[in-house]
Each structure stands twice: as structure tokens, then as C-alpha cells.
Amino acid sequence: MGFIILPHTADLRMRVDGLSLQELFLGAFEGMMRVLKERKPSREAAKIFKRRIKISSADASALLVDFLNEVLYNAYSHKEIYLSVAFKNISNTELEAEIFGVPVEDFDEDIKATTYHEADIKKNKSGKWETVLVFDI
Amino acid sequence: MVIKDFKKINDHLWEISRSFREDMRVPARIYATEKMLLDSLEDRSAEQLVNVATLPGIYKYALAMPDIHEGYGFPIGGVAAMDAKNGVISPGGIGYDINCGVRLLRSDLAADVILPRLNDLGGRIFAEVPSGAGRSGILKLSGKDLDLVLKCGARGLVAMGYEEKEDLEFIESGGELPDADPAMVSSRAKTRGQDQLGTMGAGNHFVEVGFVEKIFSKDAAEAFGLFLGQVTVLIHTGSRGLGHQVATDHIRTMMAAMPKYGIRIPDRELACAPFRSEEGQNYFKAMSAAANFAWANRQLIAWEVRKAWKDILGDSGGELKTVYDVAHNLAKIEKYESLELLVHRKGATGSFAKGNSEIPSRYRNVGQPVLIPGSMGTASYILAGAEGAMENTFGTAAHGAGRSMSRTEARKHVEARALRERLEAEGIYVFAGSLRGIAEEAPAAYKDIDSVVDTVEAVGMAKKVARLRPLAVIKG
């Protein structure tokens, strides 16, 4: 499970992978959070807030983008960085999760949105689920 | 893609024929020199332009301005005019930062008068204009007040006592798109934007104090109220989180609606719906409201800049008047060749030739002011819209220098402290919330602004009026 930043002229391109769909989603969540706040805030730093996400989308790729945009909405509207995610239910078209975060003063990067541009979840040669994501920054 | 895929129309225009890909409905055209075209082929921007050429209802061609570079959905610098009757509207052709744009203010002062106070002035603007990601502004609007801004744009803020009526005349569309409907903006978008009026944001957004370094057209400069040596202020920002959420919400709706209309697209980020459909109209009304929010945002930032100006320079500083405020991420209904077209501009700016009713009466004999900011520490240009734009580019010109290097690469190659010192040695102060931001926006990460502007002028999109040189750059 992981993420790697790839070149993009104007925005931010990231490749994420995982042994399962859940691991892939977790990698993308972690990657986006590290862009928003390079240093992960400490768990002891403040009270932990829990936010719930429940969405359905046309397919797994759209579900991933929609999930990340839900996380972004929560991050900006509550001014929080999320430290972890607990997936309650995840299929190709539905997702239910809880995200746990702490308040922050500001963010390191302004991610306007996660785009659908190159989102296309497929199995790679190593048998991992993989996709590229482009974030508008 | 490679250069062989293009047909050279002239030294500044290259065409990808409709036969290049089966799903293209029209050819794709890039305005660029050969070198600029070759540079653009380093990323996926040309391929993205070909994707735009597949959209239903696209008229004549998919166009790219000389500052073309890779985006998502449309390339940055992409322009597409859709038949308003039978064509689509695509939020990807406007982008998430709806009505990201530029406002230019002019002072009565010459640069040498403010040089001794420049550091103080830059510092005060940095303190007055909240910048960076996630920072709140001085206003927290909700309910009817926020709806007033969404409906009336800059005029809404004037009604609240922020700024003068005179500004409104010099804002594109008066800073108020009539189709705006606050009810089409989700409560989530309103929540994201409620404390963001008067904030700059991060990335390439900035406030820049500069001066008129060169005048190319005396008459046009005089009409725009510009003189050699005059201190100016450029403001570059957009609709902040509110606009980003509007785009997110409506792209999702359109993705779900496309099968109903039988629309197939090569990139989901080009999600679209017929302009006359319920989904198309709902987005258009929400986009117009977000655009109004952006004009109100630049209006409040102008108020904050004026406050800083007065604090530092007192009454002797005189007034800062709006020269013009123009959007570069927007879709508008315009008429060309007797047809009603929905012109999508993503990272491209209006450039109407003289006589057009969109142009403020004071400038109508000159042309629409075209504001093309350079990168941090380099020149910016003021041009006037010209006939070539009306004939060939749906009244459009380039919007900036255009990136040539990714932010990650820029951070690897640029040492921010050294860059700041170098710029200071050149007489340019940089006030920024983070060193990372300085490195990402380094001049080396952008194309040469002079080549972009020369191409704009060579093809007759706009004529050069004046060049600005920066003195102080304030950014997130």
C-alpha cells in the first residue's frame, strides 16, 4: 500500500496502489492528507474528531474520487487533518467510513479537488490494485 | 503526440485535423511558435485538447492559447465554443476555481515616491490580505448576506459598504452575472466559502505591487489611466472553496446524467450535459453565482489593499482605482457569426475588440483590457483586445505565462531563500507564508512571458499597451 507523486505541469499527479480495494483507498487517503499537511499531526495533540462518510458511485474509480472529495470537504469545512480512516463497508460502488482527525490552523497545500481525470483502478503486473489520481492545486 | 500530427497553418498556428482521432467532431488548433508547440508536447496538453474536440455541439475548433499546458479535462489555455441550442456545458472547461481572474488597480503615484516605504507597504498588505490554504477572512457570511453576494457579486459588497460604485463599471460584466441563482449552490459549497471572502488562497495566487515600466501604445495607456513609472497593484485569485465545491457537486451530477443523454466522452473530467437541460442550466446558474462570489472576493481584497495603502502612505498616497477586473476561468453566452455560443475559457481571458458593448464605455474605442500576469518576479502585460480575437479565437487571448515545470520539480531545483535574496537584490520584495510556496512559483517554473505576449500580438488577438515590473509580491 502506498502513494508516489508523479510529474504534472500545473497540478498534482499521484499513483496509489494496494493489495485490496480498501488498501488502495487507504493509500490515496494517506497521500492526499500528506499533501494537505506534510507532517502528520500527533494524535495526542488535540481532541480527535470523528466524521462519517457514506457515498455511492458508478464504479470503483469514481467511488475513490468521490470519497477523497468527501474527505476534502470535511477537511476544509471543519479545518481538520485526518489521521486515520475506518472502512465500515466498501464495495465497487458503495462506501461507508469514519475518518478521525485533529483541528489545524491551516494547510500546506490548497487542493481544490480530486479530479476524475486519470482515475482508472486496475490490477497491475504485481497483482496490486493501482490507479493514477490528478489533484487540482 | 508529436509535431508530425500537426499541420502548420502559419508561424503561430498549428492544427490537428479532425481525422486524427475518430471521436473528434472538429479540428484542434494551438496558437504557438514552433518552440512553444514542441514544449507543450512534453506533457499531455495537446491530447487533452483533442479530447475537448469530441464534445457535443463544439463549434469550428477546439482552441489553445500560447500559454497552453497540462491540466485535467481541458488543458490550461483551452477554449471551446458550444452551440448554445444543441451543445453541452462542461464544468471541466471552466475548472474548479470558477472565475479565477485578475484585477488591476492604478495609483496616482510614481514608483520612486513609494520605494522608501515599499517594505512597509508589502508587509502591511501581507497582514491585511489573508493568504495560504484554509485561512479565514474578515467576513463570515451566511444566509441572506451570502446569497446577496452570490446573486449580486461585487455590487453586493458595495451595498455592504466595501468599496465604491465606480469600481463596478470597470469589472467584466459589472462583476455580476445575471443568471446566478444562489439556490443552485449547495449548502456544502456555501459552508466552504462562508469565511473565505477577502482571502487570496495559495498556489499561484498573489497580490503584486508594481509599476508601469514601458508604454507600447500611448493612446490606449491614456484611456486605461496608465502613465510611465506609475505604481499599480495586481490581484490574482478566484472563488475559493465555494467555487471548488460547486464544480465538484455538479461534475458528479453530470457524470450520473450523461447516460440519459447518450453522451460518451474520452475523459470523465469532461463530464457535461446539454446546456438547455436541467443539469446544464443548474450548473450554469451555480457557476454564475460562484463567479459573482469571485468578483466579490477580489472586491474585498481591493478594499484590504486600499486599507494597507492608506495605513502606510496616508492621504498623500491618493486613491487606488480599478483599471479592470477580468475572469480567466468562465463560460459565457456570446454571439459570433450571428450564432449564440457558450464560450468556455479555462485559463484564457476575454479579449474583445473595440466597440463591443462588454467593454466599459471609457475603453470602448480602445478594446477590452487584457491582463496577462507574468510569474513571480517577472514582467506582466496589459493589452487591448483586437479584431484577430473576434475573427479567430472567440474573443479570447492568453491568461498568463503558463507553467513549464511541475511544482515538485520546482521545489527540487529552486532554493527558496536564495531566490528571495536574488529578487530582493533586483529590488523585488517577496512576502510569503511559506518557503515552499516561493520555490513552487519560481520564475524558472514558468514559460517566458515575453514569448507568450509576442505570440498573442503577432496573431492579432490583442495589442500591447503597457508592461509592468514587480516591486513587491505578496503570496500564500
Side-chain angles (χ1 to χ4, degrees):
Chain A
M1 181 271 288
F3 64 90
I4 182 168
I5 307 287
L6 304 173
H8 187 289
T9 314
D11 295 305
L12 192 138
R13 180 178 274 129
M14 181 186 287
R15 186 168 61 229
V16 292
D17 64 14
L19 284 168
S20 63
L21 209 55
Q22 181 165 321
E23 233 186 64
L24 176 86
F25 276 52
L26 181 60
F29 166 86
E30 290 279 356
M32 189 174 79
M33 284 300 114
R34 289 295 64 76
V35 174
L36 274 187
K37 204 79 179 166
E38 215 167 328
R39 283 190 191 163
K40 196 170 181 172
S42 144
R43 244 179 198 282
E44 291 81 42
K47 190 182 167 193
I48 303 283
F49 288 89
K50 179 170 81 177
R51 310 285 171 194
R52 286 192 176 84
I53 291 174
K54 191 177 178 188
I55 46 165
S56 56
S57 307
D59 55 40
S61 301
L63 190 70
L64 174 60
V65 173
D66 294 341
F67 164 64
L68 294 172
N69 279 328
E70 287 291 311
V71 176
L72 262 190
Y73 165 74
N74 277 284
Y76 284 124
S77 56
H78 301 296
K79 290 200 169 57
E80 291 169 355
I81 280 289
Y82 300 103
L83 309 172
S84 58
V85 54
F87 293 103
K88 302 283 173 194
N89 168 39
I90 184 165
S91 69
N92 276 337
T93 56
E94 288 186 352
L95 177 148
E96 205 176 335
E98 289 172 346
I99 50 176
F100 302 88
V102 294
V104 288
E105 286 281 305
D106 54 17
F107 302 96
D108 293 336
E109 193 71 79
D110 199 1
I111 300 181
K112 291 167 187 149
T114 315
T115 76
Y116 299 96
H117 183 44
E118 291 172 1
D120 187 14
I121 298 176
K122 281 182 180 157
K123 261 198 175 167
N124 64 20
K125 283 177 190 166
S126 336
K128 284 183 172 180
W129 293 102
E130 181 185 285
T131 187
V132 169
L133 292 166
V134 174
F135 299 90
D136 183 357
I137 57 171
Chain B
M1 291 178 70
V2 293
I3 197 155
K4 280 187 185 163
D5 296 325
F6 291 80
K7 178 184 162 195
K8 183 176 179 177
I9 309 271
N10 60 46
D11 285 348
H12 297 97
L13 181 58
W14 306 78
E15 184 173 286
I16 308 161
S17 91
R18 195 183 155 183
S19 59
F20 175 75
R21 223 172 67 188
E22 214 174 42
D23 55 350
M24 286 173 78
R25 292 170 192 262
V26 291
R29 290 182 155 196
I30 299 181
Y31 285 89
T33 61
E34 186 166 345
K35 182 185 180 305
M36 292 160 102
L37 179 71
L38 285 168
D39 288 347
S40 78
L41 296 177
E42 297 284 314
D43 63 26
R44 297 185 63 188
S45 43
E47 187 186 326
Q48 291 175 345
L49 190 67
V50 168
N51 291 343
V52 173
T54 70
L55 290 173
I58 187 165
Y59 182 66
K60 275 187 140 174
Y61 7 68
L63 294 176
M65 298 293 107
D67 52 342
I68 181 175
H69 58 282
E70 184 179 23
Y72 48 83
F74 275 49
I76 316 293
V79 181
M82 311 299 183
D83 179 341
K85 259 190 197 165
N86 306 311
V88 296
I89 183 166
S90 171
I94 291 111
Y96 288 87
D97 198 357
I98 296 165
N99 188 6
C100 187
V102 186
R103 180 181 290 212
L104 175 68
L105 306 174
R106 62 183 165 91
S107 75
D108 300 325
L109 299 184
D112 56 346
V113 178
I114 71 150
L115 284 181
R117 308 299 311 274
L118 190 59
N119 204 9
D120 294 341
L121 179 64
R124 186 58 64 94
I125 293 174
F126 185 66
E128 288 291 340
V129 185
S131 60
R135 285 278 167 84
S136 303
I138 54 169
L139 288 180
K140 186 165 181 176
L141 298 182
S142 57
K144 283 182 181 171
D145 289 338
L146 184 54
D147 282 357
L148 176 73
V149 167
L150 293 171
K151 184 69 196 153
C152 305
R155 186 165 64 88
L157 267 200
V158 171
M160 288 177 197
Y162 292 94
E163 292 313 334
E164 303 135 21
K165 267 189 178 173
E166 198 192 319
D167 284 324
L168 301 179
E169 190 190 342
F170 299 106
I171 303 175
E172 177 183 345
S173 300
E176 178 180 359
L177 293 180
D179 293 294
D181 183 353
M184 293 300 137
V185 176
S186 70
S187 58
R188 298 179 136 218
K190 289 175 181 174
T191 301
R192 243 176 112 170
Q194 63 185 357
D195 63 349
Q196 293 196 324
L197 268 187
T199 66
M200 193 193 305
N204 60 359
H205 294 166
F206 62 79
V207 173
E208 184 179 287
V209 180
F211 72 97
V212 179
E213 182 187 36
K214 187 168 182 178
I215 300 256
F216 299 94
S217 164
K218 196 167 168 281
D219 290 346
E222 213 169 284
F224 291 171
L226 301 172
F227 60 85
L228 203 62
Q230 176 185 30
V231 177
T232 56
V233 180
L234 269 172
I235 297 165
H236 175 214
T237 188
S239 51
R240 313 287 291 110
L242 184 137
H244 311 164
Q245 192 66 37
V246 164
T248 299
D249 294 342
H250 286 265
I251 288 172
R252 209 170 163 207
T253 305
M254 286 189 183
M255 264 180 52
M258 279 193 300
K260 182 170 74 179
Y261 298 110
I263 298 173
R264 293 175 66 92
I265 46 170
D267 173 2
R268 282 176 157 181
E269 207 51 37
L270 293 173
C272 55
F275 179 55
R276 297 295 178 204
S277 70
E278 189 186 348
E279 293 86 357
Q281 285 297 299
N282 288 352
Y283 169 68
F284 187 61
K285 290 169 185 172
M287 179 216 70
S288 299
N292 289 349
F293 185 86
W295 274 311
N297 188 31
R298 293 197 286 277
Q299 182 76 9
L300 188 55
I301 291 180
W303 182 86
E304 291 162 350
V305 168
R306 283 162 170 153
K307 184 172 179 292
W309 182 267
K310 186 146 193 171
D311 285 349
I312 298 300
L313 300 167
D315 289 339
S316 64
E319 288 181 48
L320 286 172
K321 291 184 175 161
T322 299
V323 176
Y324 201 56
D325 183 315
V326 71
H328 51 228
N329 283 357
L330 204 56
K332 289 172 92 173
I333 297 273
E334 292 164 13
K335 265 196 172 176
Y336 297 91
E337 299 168 10
S338 308
L339 277 176
E340 210 169 50
L341 300 173
L342 179 67
V343 182
H344 294 59
R345 297 186 179 94
K346 181 169 177 196
T349 182
S351 181
F352 297 149
K354 63 183 177 185
N356 192 296
S357 60
E358 169 68 53
I359 305 170
S361 55
R362 184 177 159 160
Y363 309 151
R364 206 162 290 161
N365 288 332
V366 177
Q368 186 178 22
V370 174
L371 311 175
I372 308 188
S375 56
M376 184 176 66
T378 64
S380 296
Y381 283 84
I382 300 157
L383 298 91
E387 277 304 325
M390 308 312 287
E391 288 161 11
N392 303 314
T393 60
F394 306 109
T396 308
H399 85 309
R403 284 196 81 93
S404 59
M405 188 192 284
S406 75
R407 288 176 165 87
T408 322
E409 278 297 294
R411 285 208 302 274
K412 269 185 211 162
H413 290 103
V414 178
E415 212 286 286
R417 277 195 187 86
L419 173 62
R420 176 140 72 179
E421 281 167 18
R422 180 174 69 74
L423 290 172
E424 210 165 303
E426 289 174 22
I428 303 164
Y429 291 94
V430 178
F431 299 84
S434 72
L435 289 172
R436 171 182 165 149
I438 295 176
E440 287 180 0
E441 294 303 312
Y446 282 81
K447 294 178 191 175
D448 172 26
I449 182 81
D450 296 331
S451 310
V452 170
V453 170
D454 286 346
T455 303
V456 165
E457 189 169 62
V459 298
M461 290 181 202
K463 289 177 184 164
K464 283 191 234 176
V465 175
R467 188 172 71 212
L468 308 178
R469 184 182 142 74
L471 291 169
V473 183
I474 297 100
K475 58 184 309 321

